[in-house]
Amino acid sequence: MSTEPILASLFPDTAALHERGVTVGGVELRELAATYGTPLFVYDEATLRARCREAASAFDDGVAFASKSFLCGAMARLAYEEGLCVDVATGGELDIVLRSGVPASRVIMHGNNKSHEEIAQALAAGVHRLVVDNFDEIEQLRDMVSAEMPLNALVRVTPGVEAHTHEYVRTGQEDTKFGFSVSSGDARRAITTLRTVPGLRLHGVHAHIGSQIFEVDGFRESMSVLAAFTRDDDFDELCIGGGLGVAYVAGESAPSIKEWASSMRDAAHESGLRTDVRLLAEPGRAIVAQAGVTIYSVGVVKSVTQRTYMVVDGGMSDNPRPVLYGSGYEAFDVDRPLAPRPQVVRLVGKHCESGDVLIDEAFLPAETRAGSLVATPVTGAYGYSMASNYNRVPRPTVVFVHDGRAREVLRRETFDDLARLEV
Ligand SMILES: *Cc1c(COP(=O)(O)O)cnc(C)c1O
């Protein structure tokens, strides 16, 4: 972090920064804020499509977009159009994806506590794969799957790999609520048991070691455990999960999806994985994070003894990641993206918590003040999808921009929306 102007590399692919503004997808961010109001999520469709295509060509057919990172009908359709399957983990996610028109044959169902209804929903729709997580689920499947109601499945295993990332988003280690442990023998027992379920066809194993991972070592380690573990099985698929990191602030850098995939292919080769096994993954963040920018209006600038608080019209309700994980972001002034940023502020939201901080130490131009538009780049992942109505704040509008045009894909919630559950 520094007083230098914000790095252009943090912006969506089509962004152009000029003296008095920023365009994304050929549309001025300032105009989008004027049309749709703030807070506003803006997604660059070209970036979304490019990342989807990159994943579709780097991995084998069946590679999926992890929809929990950002889900709405338009996003599910876009990922499907660009050749990806769509991962869901709950009945609610499955419902939105199916409503959007994505065929069930391109949907992969996850979940570490699938209800009877969720399994029934997935079976009735005829999902492409269901990823089995635990022994209780296997017993449910035994009752529900049959020759008339068949199922294609993967089994989720924990390879015993500690990914280098935040503890809350680490999932590959032994002590986890997800999947079956390879080393304890549970994973092997699960496979043996699943083979006795009539109508269930087991295609292979799945592992997901965590999220926001910058180093490929953990993935390679996972690959070598999975390849060794399945050496004598007749599986035709292996999924290494999601988790590829993205750069959120200056100084960070992550492998591209293509580099990640090629490193996985090397690891598969070194581990002796059969070449006819389809190599799959399910990136979420790496597809959507950099495509998104959040625009806020500054309402208040308050100086206290130690620092200056700059207060925007959103906060932890549209981006809970700083509170959850201590995640870092950068900020820029929508009208002055190329200006030096000597003003150091704590960028905070309007929620009734001292912890409602978006950026602990944000750098902004000297001219940024109450009434300015301030935006945070790289907010396309786990922002809207984790958004809440805390303090009864309506969730923001989401727009996709492309070729000089904007289209609203999720409208702003209204007070009527917020009141609709009152009985
Ligand atoms: C969250 C999750 C993903 C996506 O993770 P990203 O870090 O967004 O790429 C993929 N697979 C599973 C099973 C997950 O839980």
Side-chain angles (χ1 to χ4, degrees):
M1 294 263 186
S2 75
T3 59
E4 302 281 303
I6 188 162
L7 283 181
S9 62
L10 295 172
F11 284 75
D13 294 356
T14 68
L17 282 58
H18 58 95
E19 226 31 81
R20 296 217 295 274
V22 180
T23 62
V24 178
V27 188
E28 286 286 344
L29 293 185
R30 185 190 320 107
E31 285 173 22
L32 290 170
T35 307
Y36 297 101
T38 58
L40 177 68
F41 281 93
V42 179
Y43 282 83
D44 178 29
E45 210 172 310
T47 305
L48 293 173
R49 291 192 186 274
R51 298 297 183 280
C52 288
R53 277 199 285 272
E54 189 181 347
S57 69
F59 289 96
D60 291 320
D61 186 47
V63 54
F65 164 57
S67 73
K68 74 171 191 272
S69 60
F70 168 57
L71 179 57
C72 62
M75 183 61 216
R77 274 193 305 276
L78 186 154
Y80 166 65
E81 284 163 12
E82 297 300 342
L84 300 183
C85 283
V86 181
D87 259 17
V88 299
T90 64
E93 289 178 348
L94 177 59
D95 182 65
I96 286 286
V97 171
L98 294 178
R99 274 175 203 254
S100 80
V102 173
S105 61
R106 297 297 282 172
V107 175
I108 298 168
M109 181 79 182
H110 280 274
N112 71 312
N113 180 13
K114 302 178 189 77
S115 67
H116 183 88
E117 291 71 23
E118 286 171 330
I119 295 174
Q121 207 182 340
L123 287 174
V127 295
H128 175 62
R129 299 282 181 267
L130 179 142
V131 184
V132 182
D133 178 89
N134 57 75
F135 287 111
D136 293 304
E137 184 180 339
I138 296 180
E139 289 322 302
Q140 287 206 76
L141 291 174
R142 189 186 297 288
D143 293 339
M144 300 172 74
V145 176
S146 64
E148 294 74 46
M149 193 57 101
L151 177 68
N152 292 294
L154 293 177
V155 62
R156 177 161 182 172
V157 305
T158 41
V161 172
E162 294 235 346
H164 299 284
T165 187
H166 194 284
E167 176 189 3
Y168 292 178
V169 292
R170 226 186 269 154
T171 52
Q173 71 282 10
E174 286 298 328
D175 183 0
T176 174
K177 69 174 182 172
F178 300 106
F180 300 96
S181 152
V182 168
S183 67
S184 75
D186 278 354
R188 182 49 60 192
R189 277 208 298 137
I191 290 170
T192 309
T193 314
L194 282 166
R195 290 195 201 278
T196 68
V197 178
L200 187 148
R201 170 142 183 245
L202 190 57
H203 288 268
V205 291
H206 165 283
H208 172 72
I209 60 171
S211 197
Q212 184 56 358
I213 301 166
F214 284 129
E215 311 277 335
V216 292
D217 323 18
F219 292 110
R220 295 181 70 102
E221 225 182 294
S222 173
M223 169 63 75
S224 104
V225 171
L226 299 182
F229 175 63
T230 56
R231 184 150 299 144
D232 300 323
D233 294 296
D234 58 348
F235 291 149
D236 51 16
E237 281 178 14
L238 187 153
C239 182
I240 48 129
L244 181 63
V246 301
Y248 282 95
V249 297
E252 289 180 340
S253 75
S256 68
I257 294 172
K258 195 171 164 200
E259 289 164 342
W260 180 46
S262 92
S263 154
M264 287 303 93
R265 292 210 184 269
D266 292 347
H269 181 71
E270 284 159 25
S271 318
L273 188 74
R274 285 197 333 272
T275 51
D276 59 338
V277 176
R278 281 192 297 281
L279 187 58
L280 305 177
E282 43 192 27
R285 188 189 314 270
I287 303 273
V288 295
Q290 203 189 345
V293 173
T294 312
I295 310 175
Y296 301 100
S297 298
V298 176
V300 172
V301 178
K302 181 185 287 184
S303 290
V304 299
T305 344
Q306 301 88 344
R307 71 178 80 253
T308 298
Y309 286 92
M310 189 173 278
V311 192
V312 298
D313 51 356
M316 62 191 290
S317 56
D318 59 77
N319 187 358
R321 295 189 65 256
V323 180
L324 281 171
Y325 317 120
S327 310
Y329 284 90
E330 297 226 19
F332 64 95
D333 185 318
V334 168
D335 294 312
R336 303 168 182 83
L338 300 177
R341 299 180 295 168
Q343 186 179 188
V344 184
V345 302
R346 179 167 284 175
L347 194 71
V348 300
K350 63 182 289 163
H351 296 281
C352 305
E353 306 236 351
S354 294
D356 176 26
V357 175
L358 286 168
I359 306 178
D360 191 51
E361 203 174 49
F363 294 81
L364 286 159
E367 299 82 1
T368 309
R369 58 172 67 95
S372 298
L373 292 172
V374 164
T376 48
V378 207
T379 51
Y382 303 106
Y384 195 91
S385 67
M386 286 185 159
S388 74
N389 291 128
Y390 184 36
N391 286 132
R392 299 274 91 182
V393 167
R395 272 172 289 211
T397 303
V398 181
V399 297
F400 280 14
V401 290
H402 179 62
D403 265 354
R405 275 198 294 274
R407 65 180 168 121
E408 197 172 10
V409 298
L410 289 167
R411 67 163 171 79
R412 189 175 303 281
E413 275 179 324
T414 63
F415 291 158
D416 282 341
D417 290 327
L418 298 182
R420 77 193 181 280
L421 302 180
E422 303 282 339
V423 290

